[in-house]
């Protein structure tokens, strides 16, 4: 392992810790959203006093949750994808495909941040009907999620540049679990 | 326009072949097309943002958490024992148990792959040990796992409703799934039974009444989650989203306090596992909104409808061609992704032919469900073979009678729409 790879390993260690924190934050959001919806039903049936704000708040949490989750999967490079051609490529071609993928994703996320920011600014003055929260909160995850995904894609791009070909060969020979096979066939639910 | 369509689909296919995340391949292909057509990127990102801000879509995370809690909380084992009490004492009993347990499990998880991974992981080896042929054991497990994609709460039905984007009701869509789900279960049981009798497969061992009562009590607690979803929606007590949240909380209470298999730490584990699935789904829903916008801009559904009409103006032929297309595509891509990709194209076509939107949704889900069982991609088929450590080519012969049964049920549902629509109509839902 050369010096560059050692530095990258150290940086990825920090990112791993950050991703773990992001995972816990997303899980807590999921618990909050579930509880709000549950309590909303109880309030309506038991106390006949439903919250007027529950739908707006849960929806806002859902959007933030969604973009945080997407970012996590970008870092781990785990989004559903098709592998049947990729798995048949030589290590050199696979490395090229990886660089192209992470590079193009970087461009996509730059655009996402740019237009997400425009949408957020445009919707900032508009209040939501029940909570009076700015509608900008519904669009801001595009910017925050976009920034996270941009950083993660850059890290993945650099990691791919530094990844030796021997590692690609090792990956091809490794036996796969049922979950890995499902991911490689684009399985979603 | 034709160049635009070529850019949209050409870039999508190339990106997917290069292992791009399918979700972002949809987004990038849309941006390429927008660049060529001069559509402002602003419109596409606005679609992406609003794509997941839907209260309807919110039930997906709830149902996924509920399924994860129930699966990790040991429901599959209890449901299997329960099904064994119900029908285990006939020839080929374990195979029939496999079909019934998948029906119950489908009512909780709605995921075919989760069914094969959890139930199949112990039923396939135990069937082989009891003396069933390996190909038969895998075929029964995998085929019956597809019952879950049409029995509510089915995430795939939610994908259809969200992707159709024309104000369809998830509750009504769910109601259309019950009778076809029971029909498919019955047909698979019949097929399994006939093969079991011909091949003289064994009868499961008898259990005492005392044991049976404990098994029934434990399983019924879990089965209440199905009732929460079914009765809650049917009686108009909850929306589908609320039913998902209530069922998730109930699942946590049952597994924590009655099964004693869950705690806060394990719950966090369940949630962390759900994140991966949810991240993928959220990304696909968001970017597919931008993709659908391009499809509509390029009038792709009209082109497809005109193409089908040029072959025949008969709705029956149109439906047959759409089914053939879905079966072929289902061999190469996962059904969830195909539903999100194909619904914006085929839904307007089906409406122009005069099909009922809910009936067509069910046909789409059922047809694409077949793709879970067909090589080279069939995720459930692969999972079943991986569990039994068998290569697909040695197993596929065992699938043939089950493919035939599945296709017969599909044809019946296509020809008799009331199999799907009778329940929602009798309950007063607008179909």
């Amino acid at each position: 392992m050369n010096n560059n790879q050692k530095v990258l390993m150290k940086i990825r260690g920090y990112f791993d810790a950050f991703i773990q924190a992001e995972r816990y934050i997303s899980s807590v959001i999921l618990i909050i959203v579930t509880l709000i919806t549950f309590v909303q039903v109880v309030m309506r049936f038991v106390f006949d006093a439903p919250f007027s704000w529950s739908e707006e708040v849960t929806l806002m949490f859902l959007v933030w949750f969604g973009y945080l989750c997407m970012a996590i999967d970008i870092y781990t490079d785990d989004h559903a994808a098709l592998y049947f051609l990729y798995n048949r490529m030589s290590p050199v071609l696979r490395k090229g495909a990886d660089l192209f993928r992470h590079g193009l994703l970087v461009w996509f996320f730059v655009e996402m941040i740019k237009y997400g920011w425009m949408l957020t600014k445009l919707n900032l003055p508009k209040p939501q009907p029940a909570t009076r929260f700015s509608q900008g909160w519904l669009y801001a995850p595009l910017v925050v999620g976009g920034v996270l995904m941009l950083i993660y894609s850059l890290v993945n791009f650099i990691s791919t540049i530094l990844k030796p070909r021997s590692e690609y060969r090792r990956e091809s020979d490794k036996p796969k679990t049922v979950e890995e096979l499902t991911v490689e066939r684009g399985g979603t639910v | 326009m034709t160049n635009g369509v070529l850019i949209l689909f050409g870039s999508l296919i190339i990106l997917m072949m290069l292992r791009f995340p399918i979700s972002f391949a949809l987004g990038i292909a849309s941006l390429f097309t927008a660049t060529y057509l001069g559509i402002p990127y602003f419109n596409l990102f606005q679609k992406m943002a609003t794509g997941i801000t839907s209260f309807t879509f919110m039930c997906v995370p709830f149902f996924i958490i509920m399924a994860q809690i129930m699966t990790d909380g040991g429901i599959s084992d209890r449901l299997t024992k329960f099904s064994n009490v119900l029908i285990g004492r006939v020839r080929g009993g374990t195979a029939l148990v496999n079909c019934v347990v998948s029906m119950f499990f489908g009512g909780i998880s709605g995921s075919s792959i989760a069914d094969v991974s959890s139930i199949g992981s112990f039923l396939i080896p135990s069937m082989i040990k009891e003396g069933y042929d390996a190909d038969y054991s895998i075929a029964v497990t995998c085929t019956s796992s597809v019952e879950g994609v049409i029995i509510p709460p089915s995430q795939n039905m939610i994908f259809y409703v969200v992707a159709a984007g024309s104000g369809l009701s998830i509750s009504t869509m769910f109601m259309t799934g019950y009778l076809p789900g029971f029909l498919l279960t019955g047909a698979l049981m019949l097929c399994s039974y006939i093969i079991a009798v011909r091949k003289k497969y064994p009868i499961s061992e008898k259990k005492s009444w005392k044991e049976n009562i404990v098994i029934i009590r434990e399983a019924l607690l879990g089965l209440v989650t199905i009732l929460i979803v079914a009765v809650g929606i049917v009686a108009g007590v909850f929306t589908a989203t609320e039913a998902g949240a209530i069922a998730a909380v109930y699942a946590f209470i049952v597994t924590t306090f009655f099964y004693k298999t869950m705690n806060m730490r394990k719950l966090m584990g369940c949630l962390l596992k759900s994140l991966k699935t949810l991240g993928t789904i959220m990304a696909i829903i968001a970017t597919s909104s931008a993709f659908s916008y391009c499809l509509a801009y390029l009038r792709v559904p009209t082109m497809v409808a005109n193409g089908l009409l040029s072959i025949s103006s008969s709705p029956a032929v149109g439906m047959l061609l759409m089914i053939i297309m879905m079966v072929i595509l289902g061999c190469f891509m996962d059904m969830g992704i195909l539903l999100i990709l194909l619904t914006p194209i085929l839904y307007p076509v089906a409406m122009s032919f005069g099909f009922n939107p809910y009936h067509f949704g069910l046909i789409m889900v059922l047809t694409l469900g077949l793709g879970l069982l067909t090589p080279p991609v069939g995720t459930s088929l692969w999972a079943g073979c991986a569990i039994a450590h068998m290569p697909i080519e040695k197993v596929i012969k065992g699938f043939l009678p089950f493919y035939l049964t599945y296709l017969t049920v599909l044809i019946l549902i296509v020809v008799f729409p009331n199999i799907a629509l009778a329940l929602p109509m009798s309950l007063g839902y607008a179909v």
Side-chain angles (χ1 to χ4, degrees), chain A residues 83 86-88 94 168 170-185, chain B residues 382 386-387 389:
Chain A
Y83 284 61
Y86 179 85
N87 279 348
R88 284 169 178 75
R94 243 183 298 159
Y168 278 99
R170 256 201 308 277
E171 278 172 9
S172 320
D173 300 337
K174 199 181 77 174
K176 294 192 169 113
T177 62
V178 174
E179 285 77 21
E180 283 167 339
L181 285 172
T182 306
V183 169
E184 293 197 359
R185 282 166 179 82
Chain B
W382 276 92
I387 289 166
H389 306 292

PDB file of all heavy atoms in Angstrom, chain A residues 83 86-88 94 168 170-185, chain B residues 382 386-387 389:
ATOM      1  N   TYR A  83     -25.424  -5.591 -13.136  1.00  0.00           N
ATOM      2  CA  TYR A  83     -24.009  -5.974 -13.136  1.00  0.00           C
ATOM      3  C   TYR A  83     -23.646  -6.953 -14.243  1.00  0.00           C
ATOM      4  O   TYR A  83     -22.505  -7.337 -14.362  1.00  0.00           O
ATOM      5  CB  TYR A  83     -23.650  -6.645 -11.796  1.00  0.00           C
ATOM      6  CG  TYR A  83     -23.491  -5.709 -10.624  1.00  0.00           C
ATOM      7  CD1 TYR A  83     -24.542  -4.913 -10.185  1.00  0.00           C
ATOM      8  CD2 TYR A  83     -22.290  -5.632  -9.932  1.00  0.00           C
ATOM      9  CE1 TYR A  83     -24.407  -4.080  -9.103  1.00  0.00           C
ATOM     10  CE2 TYR A  83     -22.142  -4.785  -8.835  1.00  0.00           C
ATOM     11  CZ  TYR A  83     -23.212  -4.028  -8.428  1.00  0.00           C
ATOM     12  OH  TYR A  83     -23.070  -3.203  -7.342  1.00  0.00           O
ATOM     13  N   TYR A  86     -21.014  -5.556 -16.567  1.00  0.00           N
ATOM     14  CA  TYR A  86     -19.892  -5.086 -15.738  1.00  0.00           C
ATOM     15  C   TYR A  86     -19.064  -6.264 -15.216  1.00  0.00           C
ATOM     16  O   TYR A  86     -17.834  -6.245 -15.253  1.00  0.00           O
ATOM     17  CB  TYR A  86     -20.467  -4.262 -14.586  1.00  0.00           C
ATOM     18  CG  TYR A  86     -19.454  -3.718 -13.607  1.00  0.00           C
ATOM     19  CD1 TYR A  86     -18.796  -2.518 -13.857  1.00  0.00           C
ATOM     20  CD2 TYR A  86     -19.175  -4.385 -12.415  1.00  0.00           C
ATOM     21  CE1 TYR A  86     -17.873  -2.008 -12.952  1.00  0.00           C
ATOM     22  CE2 TYR A  86     -18.266  -3.890 -11.508  1.00  0.00           C
ATOM     23  CZ  TYR A  86     -17.625  -2.697 -11.777  1.00  0.00           C
ATOM     24  OH  TYR A  86     -16.713  -2.199 -10.886  1.00  0.00           O
ATOM     25  N   ASN A  87     -19.756  -7.309 -14.753  1.00  0.00           N
ATOM     26  CA  ASN A  87     -19.053  -8.470 -14.193  1.00  0.00           C
ATOM     27  C   ASN A  87     -18.236  -9.231 -15.233  1.00  0.00           C
ATOM     28  O   ASN A  87     -17.344  -9.998 -14.883  1.00  0.00           O
ATOM     29  CB  ASN A  87     -20.055  -9.438 -13.543  1.00  0.00           C
ATOM     30  CG  ASN A  87     -20.440  -8.983 -12.147  1.00  0.00           C
ATOM     31  OD1 ASN A  87     -19.804  -8.090 -11.590  1.00  0.00           O
ATOM     32  ND2 ASN A  87     -21.480  -9.572 -11.587  1.00  0.00           N
ATOM     33  N   ARG A  88     -18.582  -9.019 -16.523  1.00  0.00           N
ATOM     34  CA  ARG A  88     -17.852  -9.726 -17.573  1.00  0.00           C
ATOM     35  C   ARG A  88     -16.687  -8.892 -18.110  1.00  0.00           C
ATOM     36  O   ARG A  88     -15.949  -9.343 -18.985  1.00  0.00           O
ATOM     37  CB  ARG A  88     -18.800 -10.086 -18.721  1.00  0.00           C
ATOM     38  CG  ARG A  88     -19.688 -11.272 -18.386  1.00  0.00           C
ATOM     39  CD  ARG A  88     -20.790 -11.466 -19.404  1.00  0.00           C
ATOM     40  NE  ARG A  88     -21.610 -12.638 -19.102  1.00  0.00           N
ATOM     41  CZ  ARG A  88     -22.522 -12.688 -18.139  1.00  0.00           C
ATOM     42  NH1 ARG A  88     -22.740 -11.630 -17.387  1.00  0.00           N
ATOM     43  NH2 ARG A  88     -23.217 -13.805 -17.925  1.00  0.00           N
ATOM     44  N   ARG A  94     -13.353  -2.321 -16.150  1.00  0.00           N
ATOM     45  CA  ARG A  94     -14.192  -2.090 -14.972  1.00  0.00           C
ATOM     46  C   ARG A  94     -13.756  -0.828 -14.236  1.00  0.00           C
ATOM     47  O   ARG A  94     -14.569  -0.043 -13.774  1.00  0.00           O
ATOM     48  CB  ARG A  94     -14.133  -3.291 -14.032  1.00  0.00           C
ATOM     49  CG  ARG A  94     -15.511  -3.932 -13.917  1.00  0.00           C
ATOM     50  CD  ARG A  94     -15.540  -5.052 -12.957  1.00  0.00           C
ATOM     51  NE  ARG A  94     -14.664  -6.137 -13.361  1.00  0.00           N
ATOM     52  CZ  ARG A  94     -14.203  -7.055 -12.525  1.00  0.00           C
ATOM     53  NH1 ARG A  94     -14.519  -6.993 -11.243  1.00  0.00           N
ATOM     54  NH2 ARG A  94     -13.432  -8.017 -12.953  1.00  0.00           N
ATOM     55  N   TYR A 168      -9.522  -5.562  -8.215  1.00  0.00           N
ATOM     56  CA  TYR A 168     -10.631  -5.880  -9.125  1.00  0.00           C
ATOM     57  C   TYR A 168     -10.657  -7.382  -9.391  1.00  0.00           C
ATOM     58  O   TYR A 168     -11.712  -7.992  -9.460  1.00  0.00           O
ATOM     59  CB  TYR A 168     -10.480  -5.121 -10.450  1.00  0.00           C
ATOM     60  CG  TYR A 168     -10.990  -3.698 -10.381  1.00  0.00           C
ATOM     61  CD1 TYR A 168     -10.117  -2.633 -10.192  1.00  0.00           C
ATOM     62  CD2 TYR A 168     -12.349  -3.426 -10.512  1.00  0.00           C
ATOM     63  CE1 TYR A 168     -10.589  -1.330 -10.130  1.00  0.00           C
ATOM     64  CE2 TYR A 168     -12.829  -2.132 -10.447  1.00  0.00           C
ATOM     65  CZ  TYR A 168     -11.942  -1.075 -10.261  1.00  0.00           C
ATOM     66  OH  TYR A 168     -12.418   0.199 -10.192  1.00  0.00           O
ATOM     67  N   ARG A 170      -9.481  -9.697  -7.423  1.00  0.00           N
ATOM     68  CA  ARG A 170      -9.921 -10.386  -6.199  1.00  0.00           C
ATOM     69  C   ARG A 170     -11.443 -10.357  -6.081  1.00  0.00           C
ATOM     70  O   ARG A 170     -12.074 -11.330  -5.711  1.00  0.00           O
ATOM     71  CB  ARG A 170      -9.297  -9.710  -4.968  1.00  0.00           C
ATOM     72  CG  ARG A 170      -8.141 -10.511  -4.365  1.00  0.00           C
ATOM     73  CD  ARG A 170      -7.884 -10.133  -2.924  1.00  0.00           C
ATOM     74  NE  ARG A 170      -7.712  -8.713  -2.710  1.00  0.00           N
ATOM     75  CZ  ARG A 170      -6.576  -8.044  -2.898  1.00  0.00           C
ATOM     76  NH1 ARG A 170      -5.498  -8.681  -3.318  1.00  0.00           N
ATOM     77  NH2 ARG A 170      -6.488  -6.763  -2.661  1.00  0.00           N
ATOM     78  N   GLU A 171     -12.037  -9.184  -6.415  1.00  0.00           N
ATOM     79  CA  GLU A 171     -13.499  -9.029  -6.329  1.00  0.00           C
ATOM     80  C   GLU A 171     -14.214 -10.028  -7.240  1.00  0.00           C
ATOM     81  O   GLU A 171     -15.257 -10.567  -6.893  1.00  0.00           O
ATOM     82  CB  GLU A 171     -13.917  -7.609  -6.732  1.00  0.00           C
ATOM     83  CG  GLU A 171     -13.764  -6.614  -5.601  1.00  0.00           C
ATOM     84  CD  GLU A 171     -13.983  -5.173  -6.053  1.00  0.00           C
ATOM     85  OE1 GLU A 171     -14.425  -4.956  -7.192  1.00  0.00           O
ATOM     86  OE2 GLU A 171     -13.677  -4.272  -5.262  1.00  0.00           O
ATOM     87  N   SER A 172     -13.618 -10.254  -8.445  1.00  0.00           N
ATOM     88  CA  SER A 172     -14.261 -11.187  -9.387  1.00  0.00           C
ATOM     89  C   SER A 172     -14.276 -12.607  -8.838  1.00  0.00           C
ATOM     90  O   SER A 172     -15.216 -13.360  -9.084  1.00  0.00           O
ATOM     91  CB  SER A 172     -13.523 -11.218 -10.723  1.00  0.00           C
ATOM     92  OG  SER A 172     -13.109  -9.960 -11.092  1.00  0.00           O
ATOM     93  N   ASP A 173     -13.212 -12.967  -8.124  1.00  0.00           N
ATOM     94  CA  ASP A 173     -13.090 -14.354  -7.654  1.00  0.00           C
ATOM     95  C   ASP A 173     -13.886 -14.627  -6.380  1.00  0.00           C
ATOM     96  O   ASP A 173     -14.134 -15.779  -6.033  1.00  0.00           O
ATOM     97  CB  ASP A 173     -11.611 -14.698  -7.396  1.00  0.00           C
ATOM     98  CG  ASP A 173     -10.791 -14.533  -8.677  1.00  0.00           C
ATOM     99  OD1 ASP A 173     -11.404 -14.606  -9.758  1.00  0.00           O
ATOM    100  OD2 ASP A 173      -9.558 -14.313  -8.588  1.00  0.00           O
ATOM    101  N   LYS A 174     -14.278 -13.547  -5.691  1.00  0.00           N
ATOM    102  CA  LYS A 174     -14.927 -13.716  -4.383  1.00  0.00           C
ATOM    103  C   LYS A 174     -16.323 -14.343  -4.537  1.00  0.00           C
ATOM    104  O   LYS A 174     -17.117 -13.889  -5.362  1.00  0.00           O
ATOM    105  CB  LYS A 174     -15.058 -12.331  -3.725  1.00  0.00           C
ATOM    106  CG  LYS A 174     -15.277 -12.349  -2.237  1.00  0.00           C
ATOM    107  CD  LYS A 174     -15.410 -10.942  -1.692  1.00  0.00           C
ATOM    108  CE  LYS A 174     -16.768 -10.375  -2.000  1.00  0.00           C
ATOM    109  NZ  LYS A 174     -17.066  -9.085  -1.424  1.00  0.00           N
ATOM    110  N   PRO A 175     -16.671 -15.378  -3.736  1.00  0.00           N
ATOM    111  CA  PRO A 175     -18.034 -15.910  -3.805  1.00  0.00           C
ATOM    112  C   PRO A 175     -19.043 -14.890  -3.263  1.00  0.00           C
ATOM    113  O   PRO A 175     -18.715 -14.132  -2.348  1.00  0.00           O
ATOM    114  CB  PRO A 175     -17.986 -17.155  -2.909  1.00  0.00           C
ATOM    115  CG  PRO A 175     -16.748 -17.035  -2.099  1.00  0.00           C
ATOM    116  CD  PRO A 175     -15.832 -16.071  -2.753  1.00  0.00           C
ATOM    117  N   LYS A 176     -20.248 -14.885  -3.834  1.00  0.00           N
ATOM    118  CA  LYS A 176     -21.223 -13.848  -3.465  1.00  0.00           C
ATOM    119  C   LYS A 176     -22.358 -14.385  -2.599  1.00  0.00           C
ATOM    120  O   LYS A 176     -22.782 -15.527  -2.759  1.00  0.00           O
ATOM    121  CB  LYS A 176     -21.783 -13.208  -4.725  1.00  0.00           C
ATOM    122  CG  LYS A 176     -20.676 -12.463  -5.444  1.00  0.00           C
ATOM    123  CD  LYS A 176     -21.147 -11.570  -6.529  1.00  0.00           C
ATOM    124  CE  LYS A 176     -19.983 -10.710  -6.965  1.00  0.00           C
ATOM    125  NZ  LYS A 176     -19.531 -10.995  -8.306  1.00  0.00           N
ATOM    126  N   THR A 177     -22.847 -13.529  -1.699  1.00  0.00           N
ATOM    127  CA  THR A 177     -23.965 -13.917  -0.844  1.00  0.00           C
ATOM    128  C   THR A 177     -25.275 -13.698  -1.613  1.00  0.00           C
ATOM    129  O   THR A 177     -25.283 -13.073  -2.674  1.00  0.00           O
ATOM    130  CB  THR A 177     -24.017 -13.042   0.425  1.00  0.00           C
ATOM    131  OG1 THR A 177     -24.236 -11.689   0.010  1.00  0.00           O
ATOM    132  CG2 THR A 177     -22.742 -13.131   1.223  1.00  0.00           C
ATOM    133  N   VAL A 178     -26.392 -14.220  -1.038  1.00  0.00           N
ATOM    134  CA  VAL A 178     -27.708 -14.047  -1.673  1.00  0.00           C
ATOM    135  C   VAL A 178     -28.019 -12.552  -1.814  1.00  0.00           C
ATOM    136  O   VAL A 178     -28.512 -12.093  -2.842  1.00  0.00           O
ATOM    137  CB  VAL A 178     -28.805 -14.752  -0.839  1.00  0.00           C
ATOM    138  CG1 VAL A 178     -30.184 -14.451  -1.394  1.00  0.00           C
ATOM    139  CG2 VAL A 178     -28.574 -16.238  -0.819  1.00  0.00           C
ATOM    140  N   GLU A 179     -27.694 -11.766  -0.769  1.00  0.00           N
ATOM    141  CA  GLU A 179     -27.979 -10.327  -0.801  1.00  0.00           C
ATOM    142  C   GLU A 179     -27.189  -9.656  -1.919  1.00  0.00           C
ATOM    143  O   GLU A 179     -27.716  -8.821  -2.644  1.00  0.00           O
ATOM    144  CB  GLU A 179     -27.604  -9.665   0.540  1.00  0.00           C
ATOM    145  CG  GLU A 179     -28.582  -9.942   1.675  1.00  0.00           C
ATOM    146  CD  GLU A 179     -28.414 -11.328   2.272  1.00  0.00           C
ATOM    147  OE1 GLU A 179     -27.325 -11.921   2.110  1.00  0.00           O
ATOM    148  OE2 GLU A 179     -29.386 -11.844   2.855  1.00  0.00           O
ATOM    149  N   GLU A 180     -25.913 -10.043  -2.048  1.00  0.00           N
ATOM    150  CA  GLU A 180     -25.081  -9.438  -3.103  1.00  0.00           C
ATOM    151  C   GLU A 180     -25.618  -9.793  -4.491  1.00  0.00           C
ATOM    152  O   GLU A 180     -25.652  -8.959  -5.384  1.00  0.00           O
ATOM    153  CB  GLU A 180     -23.621  -9.903  -2.962  1.00  0.00           C
ATOM    154  CG  GLU A 180     -22.890  -9.187  -1.838  1.00  0.00           C
ATOM    155  CD  GLU A 180     -21.560  -9.843  -1.467  1.00  0.00           C
ATOM    156  OE1 GLU A 180     -21.370 -11.045  -1.763  1.00  0.00           O
ATOM    157  OE2 GLU A 180     -20.729  -9.158  -0.875  1.00  0.00           O
ATOM    158  N   LEU A 181     -26.078 -11.043  -4.621  1.00  0.00           N
ATOM    159  CA  LEU A 181     -26.647 -11.467  -5.916  1.00  0.00           C
ATOM    160  C   LEU A 181     -27.903 -10.671  -6.229  1.00  0.00           C
ATOM    161  O   LEU A 181     -28.146 -10.279  -7.364  1.00  0.00           O
ATOM    162  CB  LEU A 181     -26.983 -12.967  -5.886  1.00  0.00           C
ATOM    163  CG  LEU A 181     -25.797 -13.928  -5.981  1.00  0.00           C
ATOM    164  CD1 LEU A 181     -26.259 -15.361  -5.742  1.00  0.00           C
ATOM    165  CD2 LEU A 181     -25.142 -13.842  -7.348  1.00  0.00           C
ATOM    166  N   THR A 182     -28.716 -10.408  -5.186  1.00  0.00           N
ATOM    167  CA  THR A 182     -29.941  -9.635  -5.385  1.00  0.00           C
ATOM    168  C   THR A 182     -29.598  -8.225  -5.852  1.00  0.00           C
ATOM    169  O   THR A 182     -30.206  -7.712  -6.787  1.00  0.00           O
ATOM    170  CB  THR A 182     -30.751  -9.574  -4.073  1.00  0.00           C
ATOM    171  OG1 THR A 182     -30.956 -10.895  -3.631  1.00  0.00           O
ATOM    172  CG2 THR A 182     -32.085  -8.891  -4.266  1.00  0.00           C
ATOM    173  N   VAL A 183     -28.616  -7.607  -5.193  1.00  0.00           N
ATOM    174  CA  VAL A 183     -28.201  -6.253  -5.571  1.00  0.00           C
ATOM    175  C   VAL A 183     -27.713  -6.261  -7.020  1.00  0.00           C
ATOM    176  O   VAL A 183     -28.059  -5.386  -7.813  1.00  0.00           O
ATOM    177  CB  VAL A 183     -27.077  -5.746  -4.629  1.00  0.00           C
ATOM    178  CG1 VAL A 183     -26.449  -4.461  -5.161  1.00  0.00           C
ATOM    179  CG2 VAL A 183     -27.629  -5.496  -3.236  1.00  0.00           C
ATOM    180  N   GLU A 184     -26.943  -7.274  -7.389  1.00  0.00           N
ATOM    181  CA  GLU A 184     -26.370  -7.341  -8.736  1.00  0.00           C
ATOM    182  C   GLU A 184     -27.427  -7.572  -9.812  1.00  0.00           C
ATOM    183  O   GLU A 184     -27.160  -7.402 -10.990  1.00  0.00           O
ATOM    184  CB  GLU A 184     -25.303  -8.442  -8.814  1.00  0.00           C
ATOM    185  CG  GLU A 184     -24.098  -8.099  -7.967  1.00  0.00           C
ATOM    186  CD  GLU A 184     -22.881  -8.924  -8.311  1.00  0.00           C
ATOM    187  OE1 GLU A 184     -22.974  -9.778  -9.197  1.00  0.00           O
ATOM    188  OE2 GLU A 184     -21.840  -8.679  -7.686  1.00  0.00           O
ATOM    189  N   ARG A 185     -28.627  -7.965  -9.392  1.00  0.00           N
ATOM    190  CA  ARG A 185     -29.705  -8.123 -10.364  1.00  0.00           C
ATOM    191  C   ARG A 185     -30.703  -6.981 -10.272  1.00  0.00           C
ATOM    192  O   ARG A 185     -31.832  -7.091 -10.728  1.00  0.00           O
ATOM    193  CB  ARG A 185     -30.374  -9.482 -10.167  1.00  0.00           C
ATOM    194  CG  ARG A 185     -29.520 -10.529 -10.781  1.00  0.00           C
ATOM    195  CD  ARG A 185     -29.826 -11.928 -10.430  1.00  0.00           C
ATOM    196  NE  ARG A 185     -28.863 -12.741 -11.166  1.00  0.00           N
ATOM    197  CZ  ARG A 185     -27.628 -12.965 -10.766  1.00  0.00           C
ATOM    198  NH1 ARG A 185     -27.207 -12.463  -9.638  1.00  0.00           N
ATOM    199  NH2 ARG A 185     -26.802 -13.678 -11.494  1.00  0.00           N
TER     200      ARG A 185
ATOM    201  N   TRP B 382     -32.920 -16.821  -8.307  1.00  0.00           N
ATOM    202  CA  TRP B 382     -31.509 -16.872  -7.916  1.00  0.00           C
ATOM    203  C   TRP B 382     -31.351 -17.104  -6.423  1.00  0.00           C
ATOM    204  O   TRP B 382     -30.503 -17.892  -5.997  1.00  0.00           O
ATOM    205  CB  TRP B 382     -30.803 -15.566  -8.308  1.00  0.00           C
ATOM    206  CG  TRP B 382     -30.347 -15.575  -9.716  1.00  0.00           C
ATOM    207  CD1 TRP B 382     -31.050 -15.108 -10.797  1.00  0.00           C
ATOM    208  CD2 TRP B 382     -29.110 -16.093 -10.234  1.00  0.00           C
ATOM    209  NE1 TRP B 382     -30.321 -15.305 -11.945  1.00  0.00           N
ATOM    210  CE2 TRP B 382     -29.132 -15.901 -11.629  1.00  0.00           C
ATOM    211  CE3 TRP B 382     -27.998 -16.700  -9.654  1.00  0.00           C
ATOM    212  CZ2 TRP B 382     -28.083 -16.282 -12.454  1.00  0.00           C
ATOM    213  CZ3 TRP B 382     -26.950 -17.084 -10.469  1.00  0.00           C
ATOM    214  CH2 TRP B 382     -27.001 -16.881 -11.850  1.00  0.00           C
ATOM    215  N   ALA B 386     -29.563 -20.199  -4.730  1.00  0.00           N
ATOM    216  CA  ALA B 386     -28.396 -19.954  -3.872  1.00  0.00           C
ATOM    217  C   ALA B 386     -28.589 -20.645  -2.520  1.00  0.00           C
ATOM    218  O   ALA B 386     -27.641 -21.207  -1.958  1.00  0.00           O
ATOM    219  CB  ALA B 386     -28.195 -18.454  -3.682  1.00  0.00           C
ATOM    220  N   ILE B 387     -29.827 -20.618  -2.000  1.00  0.00           N
ATOM    221  CA  ILE B 387     -30.099 -21.253  -0.704  1.00  0.00           C
ATOM    222  C   ILE B 387     -29.877 -22.769  -0.796  1.00  0.00           C
ATOM    223  O   ILE B 387     -29.297 -23.383   0.089  1.00  0.00           O
ATOM    224  CB  ILE B 387     -31.540 -20.934  -0.227  1.00  0.00           C
ATOM    225  CG1 ILE B 387     -31.624 -19.456   0.193  1.00  0.00           C
ATOM    226  CG2 ILE B 387     -31.960 -21.831   0.943  1.00  0.00           C
ATOM    227  CD1 ILE B 387     -33.017 -18.931   0.348  1.00  0.00           C
ATOM    228  N   HIS B 389     -28.036 -24.248  -3.003  1.00  0.00           N
ATOM    229  CA  HIS B 389     -26.741 -24.501  -3.656  1.00  0.00           C
ATOM    230  C   HIS B 389     -26.930 -25.319  -4.939  1.00  0.00           C
ATOM    231  O   HIS B 389     -26.251 -26.330  -5.163  1.00  0.00           O
ATOM    232  CB  HIS B 389     -25.764 -25.241  -2.715  1.00  0.00           C
ATOM    233  CG  HIS B 389     -25.575 -24.542  -1.418  1.00  0.00           C
ATOM    234  ND1 HIS B 389     -24.936 -23.328  -1.317  1.00  0.00           N
ATOM    235  CD2 HIS B 389     -25.971 -24.840  -0.170  1.00  0.00           C
ATOM    236  CE1 HIS B 389     -24.950 -22.932  -0.066  1.00  0.00           C
ATOM    237  NE2 HIS B 389     -25.574 -23.829   0.658  1.00  0.00           N
TER     238      HIS B 389
END
